[in-house]
Amino acid sequence: MSGNVSDKCYVYFDKYNSITINNNSITSNGNSITITIDATAGTGTIAKYLYSKDNGVSYVQSANNTYTFTGLDKGTYNIKAYVQDSNGKNSEIISKTIEITSITLADYVKSLYTGTQGNNGIYYHDANLTNGANDNSYRYAGANPNNYVCFGSTETSCPTDNLYRIIGVFGDKVKLIKYDYANSNLLGENGEYSRDTYSKSKFSTYKGELTTINRYYWNLSTQTNTWSESSLNKVNLNKNFINNIRSEWAAKIAETTWKVGGNTFANIGTQPAKTAYQNEIVSPVTTNTTDNATTYNAKVGLMYASDYGFAAAPSAWATILGNYHVEAITDVNWMYMGLAEWTISRRADIAYGVFVVGVSGNLNNNGATSAFALRPVFYLSSSVTYVEGDGTQNSPIRIN
């Protein structure tokens, strides 16, 4: 037997420790999907997390172990995610199929904005929109956009008294105004109720469907334009109206910080919508001695003067609000209803002055002890979802 020895054979073992996924969760909430990964680093340190909602076609990189895809349309999403370490080594891929069955009303409305100003009656008020508010709101404007919402009723055919219209989307909340004027069945016969009424037969300008329209004082109680003292605010809007629409619907309304500081007539009434917005919302002033508060927290309010201004077609936005009475403007302003009605905006230089949309459509001012029609305005909670409807009067948007 020879003493030959075979060549040595070496076997190398890779002792590299990969990232370990300890736990993970992939959950949906409304129209968002959240992925959370609990991972432990191996040989390298954790460098980044990668998330996909399109089955791995594209990934979003993040330094955080939690990521949320927001603003998703209804549909099925194939979620994938993994972790990568400092040496470029990847963990296992986690995956789950999630179906989005609902979308918030705010995201639904924003989805109707196609990127072209005016499509579907929506204007995006960013810094590039000429004469716009520059507040990144999405507002409806023009003659008759499809912005109807059925609120307070689940009847197959929405009653006229339950029709509201979308002023716009502000942040993650949708702002509504009642389509037609509110009567005592909603606002009550106490507070700032007036026995005076408007009659449809006497006002050819009136565009609504009521035979008789109740009128309310802005603040007869203390005879000033201090919104925090007004019974129209405290009793008719934020007590009677809230109670009469029933608790399940009142719960859908978000408490809001209303800008009630106001400004002078020269800074609002003789200005176009853009400047009026700056003077009543961004930089309100108080110069009378009755009220130094510029904000008031409540669920229900009234429209701002600038809300009315921006509801007209953009061709009107360079016109001062005091000149909104011409047919070329009233014919293309969906918010114009043809009767004198209150705004929440007040004159800061006169202790009783309040801005009013006149019968002919121009912005004017009157005393808080006068009696006019009104339409409640409020913001829906951000969690309110879109159910169905195309926003026409016959097929208003339904919400959940």
Side-chain angles (χ1 to χ4, degrees), residues 81-100:
Y82 65 92
V83 187
Q84 188 175 96
D85 70 12
S86 53
N87 294 313
K89 302 286 187 178
N90 298 334
S91 71
E92 64 176 299
I93 295 176
I94 61 172
S95 62
K96 186 176 182 179
T97 298
I98 295 281
E99 185 176 2
I100 297 296

Side-chain angles (χ1 to χ4, degrees), residues 154-320:
T154 57
E155 293 184 29
T156 302
S157 180
C158 188
T160 300
D161 208 31
N162 294 104
L163 283 175
Y164 291 74
R165 301 190 77 169
I166 300 173
I167 295 176
V169 179
F170 301 79
D172 60 357
K173 296 180 178 63
V174 175
K175 187 178 185 180
L176 299 185
I177 183 171
K178 198 173 185 299
Y179 153 61
D180 210 339
Y181 299 110
N183 268 342
S184 59
N185 64 308
L186 287 175
L187 301 179
E189 296 183 2
N190 54 353
E192 298 293 350
Y193 174 74
S194 168
R195 295 186 180 277
D196 293 333
T197 61
Y198 289 116
S199 173
K200 181 177 182 178
S201 61
K202 293 182 180 180
F203 288 88
S204 60
T205 54
Y206 173 51
K207 295 184 176 183
E209 301 175 33
L210 297 168
T211 301
T212 301
I213 299 93
N214 294 131
R215 295 161 65 172
Y216 288 80
Y217 305 106
W218 202 90
N219 188 9
L220 182 64
S221 304
T222 63
Q223 301 184 15
T224 69
N225 59 7
T226 305
W227 187 242
S228 61
E229 297 177 357
S230 168
S231 294
L232 176 62
N233 162 31
K234 295 184 294 183
V235 176
N236 302 108
L237 290 173
N238 284 291
K239 182 179 179 181
N240 296 345
F241 178 78
I242 289 293
N243 290 337
N244 286 328
I245 62 174
R246 301 190 306 276
S247 59
E248 64 267 30
W249 292 94
K252 299 181 189 296
I253 301 176
E255 183 167 308
T256 298
T257 300
W258 299 90
K259 302 298 181 69
V260 294
N263 215 305
T264 65
F265 185 81
N267 286 341
I268 294 180
T270 64
Q271 300 295 332
K274 179 179 181 178
T275 307
Y277 172 83
Q278 290 292 318
N279 290 331
E280 68 175 344
I281 305 298
V282 180
S283 302
V285 299
T286 51
T287 56
N288 67 54
T289 58
T290 61
D291 184 22
N292 290 320
T294 59
T295 61
Y296 183 86
N297 290 342
K299 284 198 167 189
V300 187
L302 301 171
M303 64 177 168
Y304 294 113
S306 56
D307 285 337
Y308 177 72
F310 284 128
S315 57
W317 293 352
T319 304
I320 66 173

Side-chain angles (χ1 to χ4, degrees), residues 13 70 97 111 129 139 164 194 226 268 340 366 389:
F13 295 94
T70 60
T97 298
S111 74
L129 179 60
R139 299 175 187 247
Y164 291 74
S194 168
T226 305
I268 294 180
N366 216 304

Side-chain angles (χ1 to χ4, degrees), residues 65-117:
N65 74 324
T66 296
Y67 186 83
T68 301
F69 290 104
T70 60
L72 301 176
D73 294 329
K74 290 183 181 180
T76 302
Y77 295 85
N78 296 310
I79 304 299
K80 290 184 179 294
Y82 65 92
V83 187
Q84 188 175 96
D85 70 12
S86 53
N87 294 313
K89 302 286 187 178
N90 298 334
S91 71
E92 64 176 299
I93 295 176
I94 61 172
S95 62
K96 186 176 182 179
T97 298
I98 295 281
E99 185 176 2
I100 297 296
T101 58
S102 65
I103 180 173
T104 66
L105 180 60
D107 282 334
Y108 170 75
V109 173
K110 288 190 284 189
S111 74
L112 297 176
Y113 175 70
T114 63
T116 300
Q117 296 288 9

